[in-house]
Amino acid sequence: MAYDTIIVDSRDGVGLITLNRPKALNALSSTLIAEVSKALDGFEADEKIGAIVITGSEKAFAAGADIKEMSSLSYMDAYLGDFITPWDRVAQCRKPVIAAVAGYALGGGCELAMMCDFILAADTAKFGQPEITLGVMPGAGGSQRLTRFVGKSKAMEMCLTGRMMDAEEAERSGLVSRIIPAEDLIDEAMKTAKKIADFSLPIVMMTKESVNRSYETTLKEGLLFERRLFHSMFATDDQKEGMAAFVEKRTAQFSNK
Ligand code: CO8
């Protein structure tokens, strides 16, 4: 399928989506979001794909929602058109999604990265929620997810002042899992995704579901959810294979059953 605003590729069980609007620093237009959703639908339906990487360019992961497209929206356009809700597709993805971020991840770009399961940051990455400078506030999770990642004080300062965080600060604050030299970012993200894709897909998906549940419920309910999923894993062929392979000192061959 041909795309106008993204490049879609796959190798070694990993789906790669590259945001590709270089002249607009990958500003997130409605076309781009629809294309990302379509690509995710394809990767979710493809049983050969076990993990997905979303990345941008060296200069920008994404410099936010497309300001030129959004500037003339009326309240009714936004409300009746359910503006932003299609973005949820990224957070709803059941397979793991890694954000590989170099350069600017601002506004909706930072929010898109935070919808992924974890963020690998190039040493050039810069994160920010500059919406306040445009007379609005974050609208795709920035005031909620950022606060859970970095705590109230930093999130509040970033949302109220538009200050950007560099990669070092983002790692220190728990926003990103690792910093990688910019020239190695894609290779490292693909290697990390392949590692995940080589494990049992149902076990990977249940693990993702369980970690995400920790954001959405009480500790008691989350522990119960985790225990139930853990018990259910003993009904899978992959649990039998994984543990047999350890005992027999060989590499496990997971069958995704
Ligand atoms: N939207 C549209 N076009 C953009 C955007 C954007 N977010 N960011 C950059 N561009 C365009 C510029 O207009 C420029 O185009 P042109 O050459 O035609 O003038 C081109 O990209 C290059 O940009 P600059 O010349 O500005 O490049 P610089 O290197 O000088 O600056 C910056 C880079 C600092 C990233 C700067 O471009 C900038 O500040 N961009 C805007 C960042 C921003 O405010 N982002 C938040 C947007 S609001 C938002 O995301 C709300 C999310 C709420 C959810 C929305 C759901 C859809």
Side-chain angles (χ1 to χ4, degrees), residues 23-24 27 59 63-68 83-84 87 108 111 130-131 134:
K23 287 188 187 142
K59 180 160 184 194
D66 190 321
I67 300 169
K68 292 167 190 167
F83 184 46
I84 298 179
W87 292 43
E111 292 170 313
E131 288 89 342
L134 300 168

Side-chain angles (χ1 to χ4, degrees), residues 45 70 78 89 101-102 134 173 189 208 235 257:
M70 137 176 95
R89 179 67 189 85
V101 175
L134 300 168
S173 316
K208 165 170 172 160
K257 286 186 192 150

Side-chain angles (χ1 to χ4, degrees), residues 37-112:
S37 297
K38 192 137 199 101
L40 289 176
D41 289 343
F43 286 145
E44 292 252 60
D46 185 344
E47 59 188 26
K48 294 189 293 303
I49 297 295
I52 297 155
V53 173
I54 300 182
T55 195
S57 68
E58 273 175 39
K59 180 160 184 194
F61 176 72
D66 190 321
I67 300 169
K68 292 167 190 167
E69 183 182 88
M70 137 176 95
S71 59
S72 61
L73 279 188
S74 68
Y75 169 72
M76 280 307 166
D77 293 333
Y79 180 75
L80 293 177
D82 210 7
F83 184 46
I84 298 179
T85 299
W87 292 43
D88 291 345
R89 179 67 189 85
V90 179
Q92 301 304 328
C93 192
R94 296 182 73 210
K95 293 180 179 176
V97 186
I98 302 172
V101 175
Y104 296 112
L106 301 179
C110 186
E111 292 170 313
L112 174 63

